[in-house]
């Protein structure tokens, strides 16, 4: 059997879910018998080619996140929302009841300790933030959800091995967590 | 108890005392029917609908329907658990249920019930409502982001504490809320006490005692040790 091709990325996330993926420890070697990585922080490949599985950490908070997410959806047969932020917006979405302009003004202009004349960054290379942070299923179709902040290494291992074996992933008590 | 006072719950014979609801009889028999707004100490009002069962083929809230001889009650069927999962998803998107920062995580009935129903995603679009946090009381804080309007605090304060600290007010999906019975609308200006029954009745993370939030760490809490179905059946 040829290896499954897997891509991973972190959008509006903290890379905690990727750390949790590494937390499957020596089982990474078993995993590498079954899969090879395409675009991922692990390979540093910048764009996603055709893949069997896309693992998305983080929600959608800016324009770049939307482009990356669409690139993944276009190229991946199966897309998995991994972790609280991808599933429901998570920590970044805690800004959603505030006005974006008020947040930017407070952070870059009116908070204490800023340099005199500090301005809201406006470089064309910076992706524009969205008014609200969205879970990824509000932007593209998502096939599976793996909640947790982060999902534990054991949960990720169970989920991936179920999926690779062709079973519907099932976590059960102790592995299914929202915290 | 007469021989006739028996109904079937998922095919198992359950004995009941006349006047008991299906929920009460199930609890006496150590059977778990999912629920959020029902509490054994207070009068049921059948509002969360999590305890909906099929009684002789018709839907009914098991906390309000009286048990009757010969009823055939379906409880943990795939059909009913699917509907329960949808109700939970609606509750999750209606408030701001950010479990990773919640002191109640692991002890939360909403979260534990969602685990029990295998809820992997809130599915619907989130409201992200703007709801207040009230830290005005010296011993208790309120975080209404997590309120599911079960009204147990209203009942506990009225009936057990005789204080009426909490009342239900407002109208509509976004307007309905718990209001504090003080001129300022703050908990600190009511006669609420940390020893009140209402201080420990909240099934979710709205009413929180200060300074004890992480005495028991994540991972060692009620529903970390056993799923809600096992915890409830052991009661």
């Amino acid at each position: 059997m040829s290896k499954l091709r897997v891509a991973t990325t972190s959008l509006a996330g903290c890379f905690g879910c990727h750390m949790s993926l590494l937390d499957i420890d020596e089982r990474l070697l078993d995993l590498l018998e079954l899969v090879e990585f395409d675009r991922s922080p692990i390979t540093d490949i910048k764009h996603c080619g055709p893949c069997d599985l896309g693992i998305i950490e983080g929600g959608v908070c800016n324009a770049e996140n939307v482009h990356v997410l669409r690139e993944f959806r276009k190229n991946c047969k199966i897309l998995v929302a991994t972790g609280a932020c991808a599933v429901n917006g998570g920590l970044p979405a805690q800004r959603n009841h505030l006005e974006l302009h008020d947040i930017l003004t407070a952070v870059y202009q009116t908070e204490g300790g800023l340099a005199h004349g500090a301005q809201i960054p406006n470089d064309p290379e910076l992706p524009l933030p969205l008014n609200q942070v969205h879970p990824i299923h509000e932007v593209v179709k998502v096939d599976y959800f793996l909640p947790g902040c982060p999902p534990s290494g054991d949960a990720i291992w169970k989920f991936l091995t179920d999926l690779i074996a062709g079973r519907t992933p099932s976590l059960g008590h102790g592995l299914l967590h929202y915290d | 108890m007469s021989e006739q006072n028996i109904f079937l719950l998922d095919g198992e014979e359950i004995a009941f005392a006349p006047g008991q609801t299906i929920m009460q009889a199930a609890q006496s028999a150590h059977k778990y029917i999912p629920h959020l707004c029902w509490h054994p100490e207070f009068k049921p009002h059948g509002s969360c609908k999590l305890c909906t069962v099929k009684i002789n083929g018709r839907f009914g809230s098991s906390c309000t329907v009286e048990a009757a001889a010969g009823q055939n009650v379906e409880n943990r069927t795939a059909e009913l658990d699917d509907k329960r999962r949808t109700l939970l998803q609606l509750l999750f998107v209606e408030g701001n249920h950010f479990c990773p920062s919640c002191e109640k995580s692991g002890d939360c009935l909403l979260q534990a019930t969602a685990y029990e129903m295998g809820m992997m995603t809130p599915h619907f679009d989130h409201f992200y409502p703007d709801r207040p946090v009230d830290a005005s009381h010296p011993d208790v804080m309120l975080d209404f982001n997590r309120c599911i309007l079960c009204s147990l605090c209203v009942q506990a304060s009225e009936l057990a504490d005789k204080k009426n600290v909490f009342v239900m007010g407002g109208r509509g999906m976004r307007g309905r809320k718990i209001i504090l019975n003080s001129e300022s609308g703050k908990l600190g200006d009511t006669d609420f006490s940390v020893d009140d029954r209402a201080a420990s009745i909240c099934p979710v993370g709205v009413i929180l005692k200060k300074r004890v939030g992480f005495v028991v760490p994540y991972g060692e809490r009620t529903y970390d040790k056993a799923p809600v179905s096992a915890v409830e059946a052991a009661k």
Side-chain angles (χ1 to χ4, degrees):
Chain A
M1 192 177 90
S2 64
K3 288 184 177 180
L4 293 180
R5 205 157 171 84
V6 179
T8 79
T9 191
S10 179
L11 305 176
C14 68
F15 280 90
C17 297
H18 276 83
M19 296 306 292
S20 213
L21 172 63
L22 299 181
D23 222 16
I24 67 175
D25 297 332
E26 68 270 26
R27 289 170 291 185
L28 268 171
L29 301 174
D30 299 332
L31 185 65
L32 286 172
E33 295 291 317
L34 302 168
V35 308
E36 57 189 355
F37 284 96
D38 192 283
R39 173 179 175 162
S40 168
I42 297 168
T43 59
D44 210 25
I45 295 172
K46 303 299 182 194
H47 286 282
C48 182
C51 284
D52 298 293
L53 179 62
I55 294 172
I56 309 282
E57 167 190 340
V60 178
C61 81
N62 63 33
E64 194 229 358
N65 293 159
V66 177
H67 289 299
V68 174
L69 182 58
R70 285 185 175 154
E71 179 182 301
F72 268 70
R73 180 66 280 181
K74 200 175 152 195
N75 284 289
C76 301
K77 288 181 195 161
I78 291 173
L79 208 57
V80 183
T82 305
C85 303
V87 170
N88 62 25
L91 178 70
Q94 303 306 297
R95 74 161 160 93
N96 280 359
H97 65 278
L98 302 169
E99 285 291 331
L100 179 60
H101 181 74
D102 294 345
I103 300 170
L104 292 172
T105 306
V107 170
Y108 290 105
Q109 290 189 299
T110 58
E111 281 291 300
L114 294 170
H116 182 68
Q119 294 294 316
I120 297 171
N122 193 25
D123 190 286
E125 286 212 356
L126 291 175
L128 288 173
L130 306 180
N131 279 345
Q132 287 199 322
V133 180
H134 298 273
I136 64 169
H137 72 265
E138 291 186 14
V139 181
V140 297
K141 181 180 185 306
V142 174
D143 301 296
Y144 292 100
F145 297 84
L146 174 54
C149 187
S152 66
D154 287 342
I156 292 175
W157 176 250
K158 175 76 165 64
F159 192 91
L160 288 179
T161 48
D162 275 358
L163 206 57
I164 291 166
R167 295 185 292 265
T168 300
S170 164
L171 294 181
H173 182 258
L175 291 181
L176 176 55
H177 268 278
Y178 303 154
D179 60 13
Chain B
M1 195 182 291
S2 89
E3 275 294 299
Q4 288 85 10
N5 286 340
I6 282 172
F7 67 92
L8 288 179
L9 183 67
D10 285 338
E12 253 185 273
E13 290 192 347
I14 305 290
F16 66 93
Q20 269 190 325
T21 60
I22 292 171
M23 176 69 88
Q24 286 171 324
Q27 216 218 6
S28 303
H30 303 289
K31 299 291 172 198
Y32 169 64
I33 299 178
H35 59 84
L36 290 174
C37 73
W38 178 79
H39 192 285
E41 291 171 33
F42 299 104
K43 208 177 148 192
H45 50 105
S47 62
C48 78
K49 297 296 168 199
L50 256 289
C51 75
T52 298
V53 291
K54 260 189 171 178
I55 308 148
N56 296 333
R58 296 180 64 171
F59 293 111
S61 300
S62 61
C63 72
T64 56
V65 177
E66 278 193 15
Q71 281 168 331
N72 182 22
V73 180
E74 293 169 54
N75 174 30
R76 296 302 303 275
T77 61
E79 180 198 12
L80 285 164
D81 278 358
D82 276 352
K83 291 187 189 304
R84 289 175 178 133
R85 195 179 311 115
T86 303
L87 289 172
L88 289 160
Q89 288 169 325
L90 290 166
L91 287 171
F92 268 85
V93 299
E94 202 173 77
N96 295 310
H97 297 278
F98 179 49
C99 298
S101 81
C102 181
E103 289 183 16
K104 197 67 178 266
S105 190
D107 287 326
C108 171
L109 190 61
L110 177 71
Q111 185 193 58
T113 310
Y115 291 165
E116 181 75 26
M117 298 303 141
M119 191 189 98
M120 304 297 277
T121 163
H123 179 77
F124 300 104
D125 286 3
H126 283 260
F127 284 24
Y128 297 119
D130 186 6
R131 298 218 195 131
V133 174
D134 179 348
S136 59
H137 193 279
D139 300 317
V140 176
M141 71 165 278
L142 303 174
D143 188 338
F144 287 108
N145 287 293
R146 302 150 186 168
C147 186
I148 56 169
L149 297 172
C150 71
S151 82
L152 284 172
C153 59
V154 176
Q155 289 204 66
S157 188
E158 180 191 346
L159 303 171
D161 304 328
K162 314 286 184 204
K163 286 186 176 177
N164 291 311
V165 169
F166 304 96
V167 285
M168 193 80 89
R171 286 184 186 280
M173 192 163 53
R174 291 168 194 264
R176 197 91 173 129
K177 61 180 178 181
I178 297 289
I179 296 170
L180 279 296
N181 190 4
S182 68
E183 206 155 316
S184 64
K186 295 286 182 192
L187 187 67
D189 295 326
T190 67
D191 56 353
F192 189 74
S193 154
V194 70
D195 301 317
D196 285 357
R197 183 69 189 91
S200 56
I201 197 78
C202 184
V204 295
V206 179
I207 305 175
L208 298 168
K209 293 178 186 176
K210 291 183 177 178
R211 297 176 290 276
V212 295
F214 291 96
V215 168
V216 180
Y218 282 1
E220 294 175 23
R221 299 181 173 193
T222 313
Y223 304 114
D224 294 325
K225 293 176 185 161
V228 62
S229 52
V231 172
E232 289 287 322
K235 278 182 181 171

